[in-house]
Amino acid sequence: MEKPPPSVAILGWVFILAGIIMVAASVVSVVGSDASLNSVLATEEGLILAVRTLAIVGGAFLLRGENWARWLLVLWIAYHVVLSLYHPLFELVVHSLLLIAVVYVLFRQEASSFFNGKRVESP
C-alpha cells in the first residue's frame, strides 16, 4: 500500500482523533443520563453519535487512499458549516475556513494522484 502524502496523513489522523474525542464525549453524556442505549440511538443523540463516528471512518479510510473517504470528509465538514448557520458567527467562520483547508489538502495534485492510484514524484 502506498503511503499517503504527509498533508493527507495528518488530516486523516486529525479526523480520527477528533472523532474519537467526540464519540467519547457522546458516550460519557449517555452514560451520565438515565436513558437506555436503545432510546438514545433512536433520538438526536444517536444521530450525533453516528455523524461523529463518520469522522473516524473517513479518517481511517483516507489513510488507505479510498477516494470516497475524501468526499465523505468534505461532506462531513460541509455539514458542520450548515449547522453553524444556527450558531454564533465565529463558529460559521471557523467551520468555513476548515472546509476550505480540507478541500485544498484533499484535492491538490499530490493528494488527487494518491487517491486515483497514480504516483507523483516530488521535485
Side-chain angles (χ1 to χ4, degrees), residues 1-2 4 59-67 114-115:
M1 183 182 346
E2 184 182 345
F61 282 94
L62 193 73
L63 296 174
R64 295 177 51 94
E66 297 292 338
N67 191 44
F114 169 69
F115 289 110

Side-chain angles (χ1 to χ4, degrees), residues 60-118:
F61 282 94
L62 193 73
L63 296 174
R64 295 177 51 94
E66 297 292 338
N67 191 44
W68 60 265
R70 72 177 170 165
W71 287 102
L72 172 66
L73 294 177
V74 166
L75 289 174
W76 189 89
I77 194 67
Y79 172 73
H80 284 78
V81 170
V82 172
L83 287 178
S84 298
L85 293 171
Y86 304 102
H87 295 133
L89 180 61
F90 179 75
E91 286 185 37
L92 177 61
V93 171
V94 169
H95 283 122
S96 297
L97 291 173
L98 287 172
L99 175 60
I100 291 167
V102 166
V103 168
Y104 174 76
V105 167
L106 294 181
F107 289 91
R108 293 180 15 232
Q109 180 184 359
E110 181 182 30
S112 291
S113 296
F114 169 69
F115 289 110
N116 294 323
K118 302 173 194 156

Side-chain angles (χ1 to χ4, degrees), residues 30 35-50:
V30 168
S36 69
L37 180 61
N38 286 337
S39 68
V40 167
L41 293 178
T43 64
E44 185 178 333
E45 287 294 322
L47 176 62
I48 292 169
L49 183 61

